[in-house]
Amino acid sequence: MASTNSWTHEIESSVAAPRLFRAGVMDWHTLAPKLAPHIVASAHPVNGEGGIGSVRQFNFTSAMPFSVMKERLEFLDEEKCECKSTLIEGGGIGSAIETATSHIKVEPAANGGSVVKVDSTYKLLPGVEVNDEITKAKESVTAIFKAAEAYLIANPDAYN
């Protein structure tokens, strides 16, 4: 019997929440191939304009254990820098994972920066066990937001 599991992760950033949310979440399909070309070969919207129900696809290099991932935006509150998406294709769906969702919220921090809070919930297929995948997932999420942070610090007029 497959069971539902989850993990949470927090990442501190010196960048303000709205800028980091726009760059690291909402426009990551545009920035990822530029900032992490060794991991993301290309990315693009599949359908929608970035609102609820929109689907975007990421195509990965051989650095990843899968070549493609499609995600659908299920919930979005841009003012609160919060969204929830569901993995609908690739990324282990059908081979190891039955379902997977990610809830991301970027909250303002007292120092003018922000804290990224990620809550990932997934249901493994029967017989599949998680080993170091959670650690790798947390490292990947951290790398995404740190790449976006570095870009925003280097480009202070971007995503204002």
Side-chain angles (χ1 to χ4, degrees):
M1 180 87 185
S3 62
T4 300
N5 302 286
S6 66
W7 55 265
T8 59
H9 188 54
E10 290 191 7
I11 305 150
E12 293 183 11
S13 174
S14 61
V15 174
R19 289 184 70 215
L20 190 59
F21 182 74
R22 285 192 294 272
V25 178
M26 298 308 299
D27 200 37
W28 188 241
H29 61 279
T30 302
L31 285 178
K34 297 173 188 172
L35 302 181
H38 56 292
I39 298 170
V40 181
S42 64
H44 62 275
V46 174
N47 65 30
E49 300 294 322
I52 294 172
S54 294
V55 175
R56 60 185 179 175
Q57 176 175 321
F58 292 85
N59 300 303
F60 299 102
T61 67
S62 60
M64 293 292 284
F66 41 84
S67 61
V68 68
M69 177 186 85
K70 286 184 184 177
E71 64 181 9
R72 179 178 53 239
L73 190 62
E74 305 290 351
F75 169 81
L76 175 63
D77 187 331
E78 289 189 67
E79 284 186 24
K80 292 184 180 177
C81 299
E82 183 176 6
C83 70
K84 184 175 182 179
S85 60
T86 299
L87 186 62
I88 59 171
E89 186 179 313
I93 289 288
S95 59
I97 302 168
E98 185 177 320
T99 61
T101 60
S102 293
H103 178 217
I104 298 172
K105 186 166 186 172
V106 185
E107 298 180 339
N111 65 1
S114 56
V115 177
V116 179
K117 296 182 177 184
V118 181
D119 183 9
S120 182
T121 304
Y122 58 95
K123 186 174 182 180
L124 298 173
L125 290 171
V128 174
E129 292 187 22
V130 174
N131 296 313
D132 59 348
E133 285 84 357
I134 292 173
T135 299
K136 288 179 183 177
K138 289 180 180 182
E139 289 171 352
S140 295
V141 169
T142 300
I144 287 168
F145 283 99
K146 289 301 177 182
E149 175 186 59
Y151 174 81
L152 292 170
I153 290 170
N155 297 277
D157 293 329
Y159 296 94
N160 281 320

